[in-house]
């Protein structure tokens, strides 16, 4: 059964009952047709099919009649017939007429639905109709397309293209608003009822109504993009989703959130989400119909059906239907775009779709999540799905503050969710939880007290957990918990579910976003219950760390001379380094370092650095006591794994610090674990680390190594990066791009202390914080719930008082960048001179707008280019961190 409206079935009704939206009429288009002159179709469009309706009867070689009373899958109130009174040709036009049915008929109205299925099927092109639309409460004309073959599965997995729909035209509601919208929509995604749609409405200029005269409605469909037109004005564009990858090639977000689909992979047979041109890459057929009533028109404007509007028949009059093919490239439909400025901008013509954001790869580090422990977690809203109640925090005599849920007459489920549409706390951000590292040892647990039992005392109590927007879900009885008990009135009881139990039941642990606790659906009326200490937890987790040398030799990884016959020794150095590892190279070519292989004196304990892929480094300090006799000899670090199955090397100048050794100086060298892996090292079994002058060039060299380790420098610190707090971060600087000034550190009030001060002169410039060359901050692990936040105080405003203040952040040498107004921050305010103000931006929002968060290297705050002369301002507490 096809469900094909913008607001369909229970989805529309439930949203209306929640007060989240008002379905249908009264929406105002964001497009201003006065801005540009409409563009005519370019010459490469070639007419390939049409019906001018110039004959005496509907052409059976072109059109099929659907005959049924199924209600279109939308509870429509008509039967579709093949009767001439419902569809006929008159005066060179097609008339589709909806009229009252005979007394005693199955449905109160009759109408017609015509399709071209298997007679005219199309993939890409321009589909166009000139028509005058019907009107009245309950009227619903449509010009649309469905897939000829459901290649990707049942509706809407194989897609639906609504070229034009309108409901209740000319209806004036109680507020005096006259319905005049037409709509262009795509349907796609998961199987109903988890289907998705996205689209846009349009109103004719000058207050004209589509039911008063003929207008042309069209869609241009090409590979990866569809565009909607009324009278050749492009009012909406939709595109396929663009997956965003980080510098390691991992999918971490969407450059553009467009459509998606879910189907069974031909590779492994699993049901998966795909962000591609599918499902709009197959043949579709055309449909013309006039429905009466249904879930959409009956729930908007004046609601219901106005029988008087149909008493004499409502007419959908079609002058012609034409299909053009793009001769430039028929296989893709590209090259014939009828476009205008702004058609591809989100604040104008481009429509954002409903594609879910790809789940970032797990970093393999076990973390804990507290959903509720007396204080609401802003990222996890307490939630009544469908019953209309509002969960609330109450004080319990035993537990203190707890969350209380109630079940009224309407069937519902209650619990906690981190999905964006249900988060109400302004500080909250969608934060699906990756529990996969806790698989073997973690649990989901909570305390519950049943205050009042359901009216049905036999009602079963359930736990339901969903992941990745309900891509997977598990429902269990509460007595399936480790405690094996059912709720008892007035008693606090603990319920514990091992994560392994949930995973074995089919839950994807990598993106948990809903946890529900409730009496079985439809059996819970009268129940009142309380929840506390809801958490997903496991044993404390720490990232692995390998210390090769720090004040003494690691006996599992002894110092080693490969081939020169020497014995490296421990030697005292300066006060800050103490005991160090000293290596000497004689006449025989050799390499030196640390090894764990038993044949070379180690204990065969290879190091698995996989959990350090994100954020880990090989770091050591080195001092050359005597330089090699060979002047200019290059210095290297070399690593091997799995008994030399893989080996890589780097010149020391390729380190993050990028420096060559200087005799007599201690210097630090850092190499990201990610770079070791990218170069081909199997980081799961590292067994040799060598540091040496180039083979055959080292004679005479004496050098010392200290604090040599493979670890995550941030493992024991708060996640994130502080770019400025009293001083600028290491390997970053406060920076004036182009104005020639030197930002300074200035003392401010007691709360802020040392701050970064910027002064804008006559030369146009941007200012902020800049990473050193080849230094990038990987914020991928913070993507879920992470923030960019800073404090700012304007000492002097720009001479141009209208200057817009901006925030800009860049990644990977400006390969990606996002620029926003300060007023676009979560706080939504402009600077006030003399006041410290905080500005916050969600990391996920920045990623969705195109920032590669895996390689951030510039953060700027400034008055708009060329408008900042005279501005003096300070920044403090500039951080990229968790919420």
């Amino acid at each position: 059964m096809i469900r094909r409206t913008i607001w369909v079935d229970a989805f529309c009704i439930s949203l209306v009952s929640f007060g989240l939206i008002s379905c249908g009429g009264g929406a105002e288009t964001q497009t201003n047709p006065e801005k540009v002159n409409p563009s005519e179709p370019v010459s490469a469009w070639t007419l390939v099919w049409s019906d001018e309706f110039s004959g005496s009867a509907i052409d059976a070689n072109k059109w099929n009649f659907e005959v049924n009373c199924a209600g279109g899958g939308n509870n429509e109130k008509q039967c579709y017939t093949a009767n001439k009174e419902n569809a006929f040709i008159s005066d060179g036009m097609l008339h589709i007429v909806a009229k009252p049915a005979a007394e005693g008929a199955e449905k109160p109205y009759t109408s017609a639905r015509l399709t071209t299925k298997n007679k005219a099927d199309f993939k890409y092109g321009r589909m166009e109709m000139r028509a005058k639309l019907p009107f009245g409460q309950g009227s619903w004309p449509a010009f649309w397309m469905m897939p000829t073959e459901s290649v990707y599965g049942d509706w809407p997995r194989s897609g639906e293209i609504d070229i034009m729909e309108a409901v209740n035209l000319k209806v004036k509601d109680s507020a005096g608003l006259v319905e005049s919208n037409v709509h262009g929509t795509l349907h796609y995604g998961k199987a109903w009822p988890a289907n998705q749609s996205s689209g846009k409405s349009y109103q004719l200029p000058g207050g004209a109504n589509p039911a008063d005269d003929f207008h042309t409605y069209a869609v241009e469909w090409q590979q990866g993009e569809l565009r909607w037109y009324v009278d050749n004005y492009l009012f909406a564009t939709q595109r396929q989703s663009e997956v965003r990858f980080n510098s390691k090639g991992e999918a971490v977000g969407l450059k553009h959130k467009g459509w998606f689909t879910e189907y069974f992979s031909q590779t492994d047979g699993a049901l998966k989400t795909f962000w591609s041109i599918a499902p709009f890459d197959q043949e579709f057929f055309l449909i013309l119909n006039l429905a009466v009533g249904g879930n959409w028109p009956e729930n908007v404007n004046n609601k219901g059906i106005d029988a008087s509007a149909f008493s004499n028949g409502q007419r959908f009059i079609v002058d012609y239907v034409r299909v053009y093919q793009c001769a430039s490239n028929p296989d893709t439909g590209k090259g014939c775009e009828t476009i205008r400025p702004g058609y591809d901008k989100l604040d104008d013509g481009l429509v954002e779709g409903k594609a879910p954001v790809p789940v970032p790869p797990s970093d393999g580090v076990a973390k804990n999540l507290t959903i509720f422990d007396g204080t609401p977690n802003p990222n996890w809203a307490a939630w009544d799905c469908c019953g209309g109640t509002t969960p609330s925090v109450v004080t319990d005599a035993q537990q203190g503050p707890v969350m209380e849920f109630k079940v009224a007459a309407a069937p519902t489920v209650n619990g906690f969710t981190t999905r964006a549409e249900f988060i109400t706390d302004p500080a909250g951000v969608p934060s699906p939880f990756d529990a996969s590292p806790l698989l073997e040892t973690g649990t989901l647990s909570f305390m519950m007290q049943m205050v009042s039992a359901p009216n049905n005392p036999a009602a079963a109590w359930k736990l339901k957990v969903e992941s990745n927007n309900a891509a997977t879900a598990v429902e269990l009885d509460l007595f399936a918990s480790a405690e094996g008990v059912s709720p008892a009135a007035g008693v606090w009881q603990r319920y514990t579910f091992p994560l392994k139990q949930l995973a074995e039941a089919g839950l994807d642990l990598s993106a948990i976003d809903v946890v529900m606790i409730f009496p079985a659906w439809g059996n819970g009326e009268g129940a009142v219950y309380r929840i506390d200490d809801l958490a997903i937890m496991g044993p404390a987790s720490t990232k692995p760390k390998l210390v090769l040398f720090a004040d003494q030799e690691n006996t599992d990884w002894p110092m080693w001379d490969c081939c020169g016959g020497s014995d490296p020794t421990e030697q005292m150095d300066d006060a800050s380094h103490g005991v160090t590892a000293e290596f000497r190279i004689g006449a025989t070519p050799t390499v030196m370092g640390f090894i764990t292989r038993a044949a070379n004196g180690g204990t065969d304990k290879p190091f698995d650095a996989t959990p350090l892929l994100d954020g880990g480094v090989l770091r050591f300090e080195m001092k050359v006591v005597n330089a090699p006799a060979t002047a200019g000899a290059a210095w290297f670090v070399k690593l091997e794994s799995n008994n030399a199955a893989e080996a890589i090397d780097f010149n020391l100048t390729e380190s993050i610090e990028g420096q060559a050794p200087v005799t007599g100086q201690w210097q630090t060298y850092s190499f990201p674990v990610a770079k070791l892996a990218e170069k081909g090292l199997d980081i799961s079994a590292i067994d040799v680390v060598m540091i040496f002058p180039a083979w055959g060039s080292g004679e005479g060299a004496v050098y010392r190594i200290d604090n040599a380790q493979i670890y995550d420098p941030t493992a024991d610190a708060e996640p994130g990066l502080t770019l400025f707090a009293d001083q600028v971060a290491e390997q970053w600087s406060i920076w004036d791009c182009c104005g020639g000034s030197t930002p300074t550190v200035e003392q401010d009030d007691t709360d802020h202390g040392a701050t970064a001060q910027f002064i804008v002169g006559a030369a146009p410039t941007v200012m902020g914080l800049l990473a050193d060359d080849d230094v990038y901050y990987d914020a991928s692990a913070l993507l879920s719930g992470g923030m960019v936040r800073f404090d700012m105080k304007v000492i002097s405003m720009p001479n141009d008082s209208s200057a817009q203040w901006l925030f800009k952040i860049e990644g990977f040498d400006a390969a990606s960048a996002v620029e926003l107004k300060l007023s676009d921050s979560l706080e939504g305010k402009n600077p006030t001179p003399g006041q410290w103000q905080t500005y916050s931006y969600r990391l996920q929002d920045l990623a969705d707008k195109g920032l590669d968060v895996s390689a951030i290297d510039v953060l700027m705050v400034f008055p708009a280019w060329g408008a900042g002369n005279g501005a003096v301002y300070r920044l403090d507490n500039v951080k990229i961190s968790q919420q």
Side-chain angles (χ1 to χ4, degrees), residues 450-749:
M450 183 173 66
V451 179
S452 300
N455 297 342
N456 176 6
W461 284 81
K462 304 284 185 176
L463 166 76
K464 186 173 184 181
V465 185
E466 295 182 356
S467 179
N468 196 15
N469 282 299
T472 64
V474 168
E475 183 174 301
L476 300 170
D477 287 318
L478 289 194
F479 63 71
S481 64
E483 294 79 7
V485 295
S486 293
V491 179
W492 279 100
Q493 296 174 179
R494 178 165 291 280
Y495 294 89
T496 304
F497 293 85
L499 293 178
K500 195 166 188 179
Q501 177 184 8
L502 302 180
E504 289 173 350
L507 184 69
D508 174 6
L509 297 180
S510 69
I512 295 173
D513 54 8
V514 176
V515 178
M516 293 171 273
I517 304 148
F518 56 95
W521 178 268
N523 290 281
E525 183 177 1
V528 178
Y529 56 104
R530 296 173 175 179
I531 301 296
D532 196 15
D533 295 338
L534 173 57
I536 301 174
M537 307 191 79
S541 173
T542 57
K543 287 191 175 183
K545 181 177 183 178
L546 171 64
V547 178
L548 297 166
F549 193 100
D551 294 326
Q552 62 181 9
E553 184 178 61
N554 179 344
T555 56
D556 293 328
W557 282 74
M559 300 179 289
W560 171 65
D561 176 350
C562 152
C563 318
S566 75
D567 290 316
T569 59
E570 295 180 349
Q571 298 292 331
M572 286 294 297
D573 200 271
D574 58 29
S576 62
H577 289 85
V579 176
T580 64
E582 185 174 277
F583 301 88
R584 292 173 175 267
I585 300 181
T588 304
T590 190
V591 291
M592 295 176 158
F594 307 90
I595 190 165
T596 190
R597 295 175 191 158
N600 302 100
T603 56
D604 276 335
K605 292 185 178 179
F607 181 65
D608 182 0
T610 305
L612 300 175
L613 189 61
D614 182 9
V617 295
L618 162 66
R619 179 171 290 162
F620 56 88
E621 296 179 71
M622 180 175 106
K623 181 172 81 171
V624 175
V625 179
N626 293 322
T630 300
W635 287 79
F636 290 90
V637 58
K638 184 174 182 179
L639 294 93
E640 296 181 358
S641 65
N642 199 16
N643 282 302
E646 290 85 24
I648 60 166
D649 62 65
F650 290 94
N651 192 302
L652 291 194
T653 58
E654 297 178 77
S655 64
I656 290 175
E657 296 76 13
Q659 55 194 1
V662 176
T663 303
Q665 291 185 13
W666 279 103
Q667 294 169 276
T668 299
Y669 296 92
S670 305
F671 297 87
V673 172
K675 281 196 173 182
L676 308 183
E678 287 168 7
K679 199 160 184 176
L681 185 70
D682 176 3
I683 60 172
S684 69
I686 298 171
D687 53 9
V688 179
V689 178
M690 294 169 273
I691 304 151
F692 55 92
W695 179 268
S697 301
E699 183 176 0
V702 179
Y703 56 104
R704 294 174 177 175
I705 303 294
D706 197 14
N707 299 320
Q709 50 194 327
I710 304 175
Y711 73 119
D712 182 348
T714 67
D716 298 326
E718 188 73 19
L721 173 66
T722 298
L723 294 170
F724 191 98
D726 294 328
Q727 62 182 6
V728 70
E730 184 180 351
Q731 298 183 317
W732 286 70
S733 57
I734 48 179
W735 170 69
D736 175 352
C737 152
C738 320
S741 76
T742 302
T744 58
V745 176
E746 303 291 342
Q747 288 292 318
D748 201 270
D749 58 28

Side-chain angles (χ1 to χ4, degrees), residues 228-247:
W228 281 258
Y229 302 80
V230 174
D231 295 336
N232 281 336
Y233 181 76
L234 196 171
F235 73 91
T237 304
Q238 295 203 55
R239 290 177 168 174
Q240 71 179 87
S241 296
E242 294 181 69
V243 178
R244 186 174 49 77
F245 298 91
N246 66 15
S247 57

Side-chain angles (χ1 to χ4, degrees), residues 254-276:
L254 296 177
K255 292 181 181 178
H256 172 67
K257 183 180 288 190
W259 67 70
F260 74 104
T261 193
E262 178 186 72
Y263 58 89
F264 292 95
S265 168
Q266 294 183 351
T267 304
D268 58 12
L271 186 62
K272 294 182 177 179
T273 296
F274 293 85
W275 296 266
S276 65

Side-chain angles (χ1 to χ4, degrees), residues 750-799:
T750 304
D751 290 338
H752 290 85
T755 63
Q757 179 167 289
F758 303 87
I759 300 176
V760 183
T765 190
V766 292
M767 295 177 158
L769 296 113
L770 174 71
D772 294 348
D773 288 345
D774 298 322
V775 174
Y776 309 98
Y777 179 63
D778 184 353
S780 301
L782 303 173
L783 192 58
S784 177
M787 307 287 288
V788 178
R789 180 172 284 142
F790 54 88
D791 294 340
M792 173 178 166
K793 181 170 81 171
V794 175
I795 306 297
S796 300
M797 293 292 278
N799 297 339

Side-chain angles (χ1 to χ4, degrees), residues 261-331:
T261 193
E262 178 186 72
Y263 58 89
F264 292 95
S265 168
Q266 294 183 351
T267 304
D268 58 12
L271 186 62
K272 294 182 177 179
T273 296
F274 293 85
W275 296 266
S276 65
I277 57 176
F280 302 108
D281 61 345
Q282 304 294 321
E283 288 192 342
F284 279 60
F285 61 90
L286 297 170
I287 307 173
L288 288 168
N289 73 283
L290 172 54
V292 182
N295 294 329
W296 182 11
E298 290 188 61
N299 284 284
V300 297
N301 303 109
N302 292 336
K303 299 190 176 181
I305 299 172
D306 179 5
S308 66
F310 296 89
S311 60
N312 296 319
Q314 268 302 328
R315 298 187 177 219
F316 180 12
I317 306 174
V318 183
D319 183 10
Y320 62 76
V321 176
R322 296 170 182 167
V323 178
Y324 299 84
Q325 185 181 67
C326 181
S328 298
N329 193 334
D331 291 338

